[in-house]
Amino acid sequence: MSFNEFRSILPAPQPEIETLEAHQVARDFYREIEYRQDFKNYCQWYYETAQRHRDELQKMRNDFNIFGWFLRGRR
C-alpha cells in the first residue's frame, strides 16, 4: 500500500486537536525562551560574582597581614 492509500483510511485531522497542538508548541517555545533567559541571567550573575571574589582576593593579598604577627612569636 502506498502512503496515499493510508491517508484515505486515516480520519481527517480535527481542528480542535490542531489548535491544542499549536498551543502546546507555543507553550514549549516560550518555556524554552524563559529557560534560556534564566540561564543567561544566572551565568551573568555567576561571572560578576566570580570577578568580585577575584578582586576581593587580590585586595586581601595586598592587605597588611596582622595574623602573621601572632605566628612570629610561636616559631
Side-chain angles (χ1 to χ4, degrees):
M1 284 187 145
S2 69
F3 180 71
N4 289 332
E5 291 173 339
F6 280 120
R7 286 184 78 179
S8 65
I9 297 172
L10 297 174
Q14 299 172 352
E16 298 85 17
I17 293 175
E18 290 177 357
T19 302
L20 290 174
E21 288 174 348
H23 177 71
Q24 185 64 41
V25 169
R27 284 187 57 178
D28 291 344
F29 176 76
Y30 286 113
R31 188 176 296 134
E32 180 69 20
I33 289 174
E34 183 180 7
Y35 169 78
R36 289 181 185 209
Q37 186 61 44
D38 289 345
F39 184 72
K40 182 179 175 184
N41 291 341
Y42 170 76
C43 289
Q44 182 67 30
W45 169 84
Y46 186 88
Y47 292 132
E48 290 172 359
T49 302
Q51 184 61 46
R52 189 171 63 248
H53 288 174
R54 285 190 292 269
D55 294 344
E56 290 173 0
L57 178 63
Q58 187 60 36
K59 183 181 173 204
M60 288 171 51
R61 287 182 176 160
N62 293 333
D63 284 348
F64 188 68
N65 186 6
I66 296 175
F67 187 67
W69 283 41
F70 295 107
L71 292 178
R72 287 185 190 175
R74 301 184 117 221
R75 291 183 191 176

